[in-house]
Amino acid sequence: MRARTPLVVSAALVLIPLLVALFGPLLNLDSRPGLPYESGSGHPLGTDGLGRDVLELLLVGGRTALGMALGAVAIAYLLGGVIGLVAASTRHRWIDELLIRPLDVLLPLPSLLVISVVAVGWRASPLAITLAVAMVNVPTVARLVRAAALEAASGPVVEALRMQRESWVGIHLGYVGRAVLGPVAADVGTRITLAVFLVASVNFLGLGLSPTAPDWAVSVSRNREGLLLQPWAVLAPALMLVAFTLGFNLLADRLVHRTRRLVEVDR
């Protein structure tokens, strides 16, 4: 059996960037501007290309970097999950086709291109970028949930529950939901990583938030030319993004293994 990263390490990789994103803006450092790419002089991590304190930017830049990605994944699972469950549980093929076929049109579209077009149209709008990232993820989430729920939704247990007049919510979020939990848990880590990558890419390319925004990806993009002069201006926000995505993938991997065990025991 392959060795696994200790749970405390995985949790720390996720919690540190998450806590910084949540509570960092509450810490008012009120630091004075300095020279561009300056080290020391009252700035623990130095200054960026505009002379702003890197630590202060790090504390306030996580809400957009992680908030947009997590919000997009939540919306994608909310919409895609409902579509997938309804498509899997319906007894009418035309309803299944009506729900799934339009989503197939969106699947071949390049995600980054779609999000970039939306970002250019609604420049510096976190809500627009969040919704765009969510929309490009809805088709794959809906298909994943539908495929995972199809066997359970058409099985004899569901028929028995229907005969007992159980509600749709009780059947599909209770019984069928357990069948979907494993594949969804396996997908969550990858989906959040992809969402962070898409949001960061749009901001890195200068198509999303304002170039002066404290967002972590914007900071990496804006200060990459001064990497050799003041590396923390790039490395600090980049490490936050890498730590969060890596830690979340490790936690998702653990959740997948635990879910498989629970399903095996339930069977």
Side-chain angles (χ1 to χ4, degrees), residues 54-249:
V54 171
L55 179 58
E56 186 174 359
L57 295 175
L58 191 71
L59 292 175
V60 300
R63 283 193 175 180
T64 52
L66 301 186
M68 289 190 293
L70 294 176
V73 172
I75 295 172
Y77 271 105
L78 180 62
L79 296 179
V82 171
I83 293 172
L85 283 177
V86 172
S89 61
T90 183
R91 298 179 179 181
H92 305 286
R93 183 175 178 81
W94 67 270
I95 296 179
D96 185 10
E97 296 285 336
L98 183 64
L99 291 172
I100 297 300
R101 292 308 174 194
L103 298 180
D104 291 343
V105 178
L106 299 176
L107 282 174
L109 297 178
S111 300
L112 187 57
L113 177 62
V114 173
I115 299 168
S116 298
V117 171
V118 173
V120 171
W122 287 272
R123 190 62 180 266
S125 173
L127 179 59
I129 298 174
T130 299
L131 293 177
V133 175
M135 288 303 102
V136 299
N137 280 283
V138 165
T140 50
V141 170
R143 281 198 157 276
L144 170 72
V145 173
R146 177 185 177 276
L150 200 56
E151 182 178 354
S154 59
V157 176
V158 170
E159 290 296 328
L161 292 173
R162 283 173 176 162
M163 293 179 64
Q164 296 176 10
R165 298 182 180 275
E166 289 285 343
S167 66
W168 187 94
V169 174
I171 294 173
H172 294 280
L173 295 186
Y175 173 73
V176 179
R178 283 182 293 176
V180 177
L181 185 59
V184 167
D187 182 67
V188 164
T190 303
R191 189 73 46 197
I192 289 180
T193 301
L194 176 62
V196 172
F197 167 76
L198 289 173
V199 170
S201 297
V202 171
N203 289 332
F204 181 84
L205 294 173
L207 301 175
L209 300 178
S210 168
T212 59
D215 180 87
W216 290 344
V218 175
S219 295
V220 173
S221 174
R222 186 181 57 243
N223 298 304
R224 65 184 186 276
E225 294 180 355
L227 178 61
L228 297 180
L229 296 174
Q230 219 292 76
W232 283 116
V234 175
L235 294 180
L239 286 173
M240 286 291 180
L241 291 170
V242 172
F244 181 80
T245 54
L246 177 61
F248 213 100
N249 270 296

